Amino acid sequence: MDRIDAMKIFIAALDEGSLAGAGRRLGRSPAAVSRAIAFLEAHIGAQLLHRTTRSLRLSEVGEGYAAACRRVLADLEEADLAAAGESAAPRGLLTLTAPVPSGEAALRPVLDAFLDEYPAVSARLHLLDRPVSLIDEGIDVALRIAHLPDSTLIALRLGEVRRVVVAAPAYLATRGVPELPADLAGHRIIALARSGEEAWSFPAGPGAATSRAIGITPRLTVNSVRAAVASAVAGHGIARVFSYHVADEIRAGRLTLLLPDFTPPPLPVHLLTPDGRLPVPKVRAFIDFAVPRLKTWFADRLTDTTPPAANLKLP
């Protein structure tokens, strides 16, 4: 059996989550997929996958081998494209990742439109709220909302977002409007179930010199941004989310921006791609297609949630 072909089958099984899924994607029988993985395991002398009737899980050896396979296959694709020259049309599988909320709201509609424009390209979008190694996990493009560390990745800036505190007018009418971060102690808090939500950090406001962290005791904790926003709109408490999560609700008057003098500095938004992937036609075409559309999307949803510059005091 050809080892490169077996590597492609192995990676397809990981991406699809099953041997049957890999078979459907590649037009192979489940038996042929199983033989390919067995061939690789015999070749390297170690088990790559722990298989059950419902799932596949990489062994410790398999984790490193899968990353190496992705790099080998990417290098082969780049070599083919270099030989074909600029005349190569966008085609093949485009793999993307993004955090769940921004992936659903911002990236997915742009990707749908891109696929309509380029019928020879298919896509796999991984919505994950965890760090992803683009190279080791075979990702072509990633959407990131964070300050980026120095790396070999190519980063294209799309805009910025802010963390904002919001509540429904009906809630504020009965419970009052907090004027200072410390006032949150007397309010019902809707928190997101993720690291760091035991306290909300705020920059220094008027007349203060240092930032502060306000401990919170949530009345409701959820692991979904959409659920937190919906609960806030329904008048059940105060939530803190990214500006793009609630721009439409603020614009429509369903939510009110709170504590504008204490809004933290913005976080940048980027599209990332490994250096060697940018010349690949499907990646280049997506970057050219997506960047202007995503810039417009994030800019539109920052405007109504940005405090006036004169009122914002940064540390």
Side-chain angles (χ1 to χ4, degrees), residues 230-243:
S231 186
V233 168
H236 296 296
I238 295 175
R240 189 179 73 156
V241 292
F242 280 136
S243 49

Side-chain angles (χ1 to χ4, degrees), residues 4 54 88 95 120 146 163 175 194 204 218 244 250 261 270 282:
I4 296 299
R54 294 187 178 182
T95 305
R163 291 191 187 277
R175 302 297 295 268
R194 58 183 59 169
Y244 73 88
I250 292 174
D261 288 336
H270 292 90
K282 64 186 178 185

Side-chain angles (χ1 to χ4, degrees), residues 137-187:
E137 299 189 41
I139 303 296
D140 295 309
V141 179
L143 177 65
R144 287 287 177 268
I145 300 175
H147 293 291
L148 301 177
D150 291 335
S151 75
T152 59
L153 299 175
I154 294 174
L156 299 105
R157 189 178 175 101
L158 303 175
E160 59 188 29
V161 299
R162 293 181 181 273
R163 291 191 187 277
V164 295
V165 179
V166 294
Y171 171 87
L172 298 172
T174 59
R175 302 297 295 268
V177 178
E179 301 292 339
L180 299 170
D183 296 341
L184 294 172
H187 285 269

